[in-house]
Amino acid sequence: MTGFHIKIRGIVQGVGFRPFIHRQVKAYEIKGWIRNTSFGAELKVEGETDNVSAFIRDLRIRKPPLAVIEKIHADEYEPCGFSDFEIIPSFAGEEADTLISPDICTCDDCLKELSDPSDRRYRYPFINCTNCGPRFTIIKNVPYDRKSTTMAPFVMCPACENEYTDIEDRRYHAQPDCCPACGPRLYYRNADGSCIYDEPAGAALEALRKGKIIAVKGLGGFHLACRADTPAFSHILRERKKRDRRPFALMCADTVAVRKICLLSEEEEQLLSSPARPIVLLRKREKASFSHISENDRIGIMLPYTPVHFLLFSEEIKTLVMTSANLSDRPVIYKNEEALTELSGICDGFLMHDREIEVRCDDSVMWPEGGGYFMRRSRGYAPYPVTLESPVPMMLACGAEQKATFSLSKKEHVFPSQHIGDLKNIESYENFRQQIVHFEKLFSIKPEVIACDLHPDYLSSVYAEERSAAEGIPLVRVQHHHAHMVSCMTDNDLTDPVIGIIWDGTGLGEDGTVWGGEFLAGDAAGYERHGSIRPVKLPGGDKAIKEIWRVGLSLLEDAFAQDGDEGICEAVRNRITEDAAVPETGAGTVRKMLAADVNCPPSSGMGRLFDGVSAILGICRSADYEGEGAILLEAAAGEGCMTEYEAGFYEDENGVRRFDWRPMIRGLASDILADIPVSLCAAKFMNTLTAVAADQCIYIRRKTGLDAVVLSGGTFQNMYLLKAVTEALRAEGLTVYHHHRVSTNDEGISLGQLMIAGRRMREKR
Ligand code: ZN
Ligand code: ZN
Ligand code: FE
């Protein structure tokens, strides 16, 4: 006989963990008790030595689907002879410090009931259990029970109540438990305002079949849906939504339907079918197919994740366009009234219901590589924390601006928020402020310090400043790329100094100029800027973000100003200026601006180099959305190209070693005139950047002795570059790390800011 005192850290509350264990122990003939604690759960187990060790071994594998076990700590003790196994109350007065589960897709058991005509929840669109259903998006307050969710108005019927109180039942303590007799109601609302309550999903399906566009209320907001198999229908949606070329996401009934459109490896299938159900960027079977959905070689696809979604497919309809219901760059619509007023001009019907969404939460988006690499971390992942190796004070970090998130910390946990969007939009900013309050309440956090970006005009910085002043909380300003670097370090549990390749679009540097092609070295305490790229002049400033032909002309003029064949320059320049996307008079003005160096702010952002090259190559000359030039360039690049352009380097007046891209642009121009295929030129361009990355890291390693490299910043959303740079650096004997728990783009910034602020606080003490 033996006894073990076990402490479990992770998401083990509100996920049916204690009853699950209660059911498990019988098989192992174990006595003792289990209770919730501030860090998770605590158990005392006694029994035959073999049984107890088997039980502990199996804890990690045999657990309720929603439970996340981060750490198990087990101490042996002399058994005291329990006669039973009990669930005992939590320590009185102990501060509840529980994690909140993200929203989880409908489980197989619930799906079985959903399609079983003899079940009382047959085709009931709100079926859920302890193992699945809404969580984060319905929780208003803690402790997590039905009263503090948007399920509060629905009073459980006796049948549901029985399940809820029966420890042997799958719905024991499932807070959103409900049925057709007591739960929320789905209805289909026609454009004329008439509502169908009887088989509303059937009515929606019929509308979709006919090619209509309908709004569908999901977990964290509304989607706009239409058939994906007929380009004409999605064209109407594109027109009404005023969304020109931005790709749509698709929802497929099952993996069979996915395979008809995209290649799907086992690893990709696993991610696609995981309980978080993210949108996964999958490679099309044929690059030219489904161009009405996405112009590039990938399509974002997800599987159904709520019972409502499962009811939207039929023998005929296996694939739907499923795009967030928002207008221009506003946040996704999540309230019924708002949907009715804002979407009436866009959709022909509404599939909606009377359960409120408390928290707006977009679909998450991931590259399938390496088991999942975030483009957007949101539904299914938020508010799951990043667990640290050692505790930190309570802090708030306010992130960047365009891909806004915030992070709050408490002990060993950092809670990065869901994706919030562009704060320049007033509703997103409002949501940002509200969500900070909401998270602070849910996790009972009172920040002792606030961190923000160095950029004073970012609305996240404005918020941080106001709050710091109003509440007398110290404010720490963090340089953008330093935050990216420390974010990636934290993501990989690194604390010792590293080299950081931080490539992104824009971020304010310490010297007041725009940075973004950075080679840094340091840690949370500080950094040194060892390398960057030759600054790119942006004629017209912000105008050059979308009118990327301006950047193309800028690179070209600079590259040929002192060197190279003016004839080549002119021929390539003409190709740009003769493009229909480039206004005739505009091109003339831009050349004059460049020549006189007027209104041409310099930027060393890697994103600008991508834009300019994309424009020179004719891949994209006017971007419809931020980053389009870079995305299409990556999609255009052919595989297997091993060559590159010449790269120059020079040291600037501050000792920063800069990549001189002028020889590369001259090489590119010659290739264009020699009719070298665009696919090859695009690949050669990215291979050049790869060689630059390796060259700079070797240079920094020689200077500093560091040999670990973190890759961060929006440019590393480019899979070609991420893979190529990783391989090239590994070949040089460097250890390479990239993001896996948070996004590499500006969504990841708040995590880095927070860790830097924590370090500065520690030093002050
Ligand atoms: Zn379920
Ligand atoms: Zn009921
Ligand atoms: Fe950035």
Side-chain angles (χ1 to χ4, degrees), residues 615-630:
I616 293 174
L617 285 174
I619 294 168
C620 177
R621 293 202 164 115
S622 177
D624 214 28
Y625 52 92
E626 210 243 334
E628 188 184 26

Side-chain angles (χ1 to χ4, degrees), residues 424-492:
K424 282 195 288 296
N425 177 280
I426 179 103
E427 287 162 87
S428 299
Y429 186 48
E430 214 25 68
N431 189 34
F432 173 78
R433 303 173 67 110
Q434 284 169 5
Q435 286 303 305
I436 291 176
V437 174
H438 187 60
F439 269 62
E440 286 178 3
K441 182 173 69 180
L442 289 187
F443 302 112
S444 53
I445 294 176
K446 279 197 175 64
E448 297 168 36
V449 63
I450 300 178
C452 71
D453 196 274
L454 210 55
H455 202 309
D457 300 336
Y458 277 1
L459 284 160
S460 53
S461 306
V462 172
Y463 169 86
E465 247 167 67
E466 282 174 7
R467 177 113 189 248
S468 155
E471 297 175 28
I473 306 171
L475 182 67
V476 173
R477 290 179 201 274
V478 180
Q479 200 280 324
H480 191 93
H481 303 99
H482 186 208
H484 269 305
M485 181 173 93
V486 176
S487 171
C488 192
M489 288 174 64
T490 310
D491 206 332
N492 291 284

Side-chain angles (χ1 to χ4, degrees), residues 120-121 155-161 163 177-183:
R120 69 192 185 92
R121 292 189 181 86
V155 180
M156 265 186 220
C157 69
C160 287
E161 184 88 49
E163 297 166 336
D177 185 18
C178 61
C179 74
C182 66

Side-chain angles (χ1 to χ4, degrees), residues 350-426:
F350 298 84
L351 187 62
M352 55 207 296
H353 56 75
D354 54 359
R355 185 180 70 206
E356 296 286 325
I357 296 172
E358 177 66 18
V359 173
R360 176 190 267 142
C361 201
D362 291 271
D363 295 316
S364 294
V365 183
M366 294 178 114
W367 285 107
E369 275 76 0
Y373 183 67
F374 285 110
M375 295 291 106
R376 187 201 285 154
R377 182 187 179 277
S378 209
R379 179 190 48 76
Y381 299 95
Y384 190 66
V386 169
T387 305
L388 306 173
E389 300 269 87
S390 47
V392 291
M394 292 202 237
M395 297 183 283
L396 164 66
C398 298
E401 183 172 73
Q402 252 198 358
K403 288 183 168 23
T405 65
F406 57 84
S407 285
L408 280 153
S409 60
K410 187 177 186 181
K411 297 175 199 164
E412 279 101 346
H413 287 133
V414 179
F415 301 93
S417 72
Q418 69 274 31
H419 151 97
I420 304 235
D422 188 349
L423 298 184
K424 282 195 288 296
N425 177 280
I426 179 103

